[in-house]
Amino acid sequence: QKEVEQDPGPLSVPEGAIVSLNCTYSNSAFQYFMWYRQYSRKGPELLMYTYSSGNKEDGRFTAQVDKSSKYISLFIRDSQPSDSATYLCATSGGYQKVTFGTGTKLQVIP
Amino acid sequence: GAVVSQHPSRVICKSGTSVKIECRSLDFQATTMFWYRQFPKQSLMLMATSNEGSKATYEQGVEKDKFLINHASLTLSTLTVTSAHPEDSSFYICSARIGDQPQHFGDGTRLSIL
């Protein structure tokens, strides 16, 4: 079993839709949770960063962590074509190395 | 803030050539830098972790004599692919972080060995 599982997609949605991206993880020691966005032929860009359980909102993006079920989510409201990219979830125990999901490819259709 | 610059962005060279890739943290001093390799439609594969002034820690299966990492300062790490062959062709990405904060990534280097 991989430490972090993520559906690779692709996920296609119409412009304006609410997007839900999800990951599950297996290591209960993970305390830090990140979402990165990666455009084609570019490096990942940090979108959201949360510590422990709970929600965090930044503009159209909301990150959610449920440590009891080892489930992390990223919601994108009012999705735009510019949101089309691969989204990577990532977790770590702090100073330890980061474990990445395989990424979900999102396409927002105008 | 937290900008990581990676250079060059694209390299095409002949088999047997050694290639050096630079990774710089532009507006912060990174305690740790990481080197990843990414194959098409796959996630990031960690190659090595490097702390300033000390030897890099390589992941299992990564040849340290093949992929030389130097981390001479808190803002610069280099990856040298020695005697590169076509199977070394890939997308190489560096990242940097301060303490236990999230990593920030460079824009990657696309390496093609002919």
Side-chain angles (χ1 to χ4, degrees), chain A residues 15-35:
Chain A
E15 182 175 354
I18 296 174
V19 176
S20 172
L21 302 167
N22 309 291
C23 288
T24 57
Y25 64 95
S26 57
N27 190 338
S28 58
F30 289 148
Q31 297 277 5
Y32 296 84
F33 305 92
M34 288 73 71
W35 283 96

Side-chain angles (χ1 to χ4, degrees), chain A residues 3 27-32 34 90-100, chain B residues 32 34 36 46 49 59 97 99-103:
Chain A
E3 284 194 293
N27 190 338
S28 58
F30 289 148
Q31 297 277 5
Y32 296 84
M34 288 73 71
T91 68
S92 82
Y95 286 93
Q96 300 161 15
K97 67 180 182 181
V98 174
T99 302
F100 289 88
Chain B
T32 310
F34 303 85
Y36 293 86
L46 179 64
T49 301
E59 293 299 301
R97 76 177 185 194
D100 62 351
Q101 295 300 300
Q103 296 174 38

Side-chain angles (χ1 to χ4, degrees), chain B residues 14 29 38 51 64 66-67 71 79 85 92 103:
Chain B
K14 292 181 180 179
Q29 293 189 321
Q38 189 175 35
N51 294 297
K64 60 181 180 182
K66 174 76 170 175
F67 300 100
H71 194 162
L79 168 68
H85 292 285
Y92 293 87
Q103 296 174 38

Side-chain angles (χ1 to χ4, degrees), chain A residues 27-79:
Chain A
N27 190 338
S28 58
F30 289 148
Q31 297 277 5
Y32 296 84
F33 305 92
M34 288 73 71
W35 283 96
Y36 288 86
R37 177 175 62 195
Q38 186 176 22
Y39 291 112
S40 182
R41 299 174 183 261
K42 292 287 187 181
E45 170 195 1
L46 180 65
L47 272 182
M48 301 287 283
Y49 167 55
T50 54
Y51 173 75
S52 196
S53 280
N55 293 358
K56 185 173 183 178
E57 189 173 319
D58 184 1
R60 296 185 295 111
F61 298 90
T62 300
Q64 212 170 66
V65 176
D66 182 347
K67 291 191 71 180
S68 62
S69 58
K70 298 189 180 70
Y71 198 81
I72 56 179
S73 302
L74 178 71
F75 298 97
I76 306 174
R77 290 183 298 280
D78 187 26
S79 56

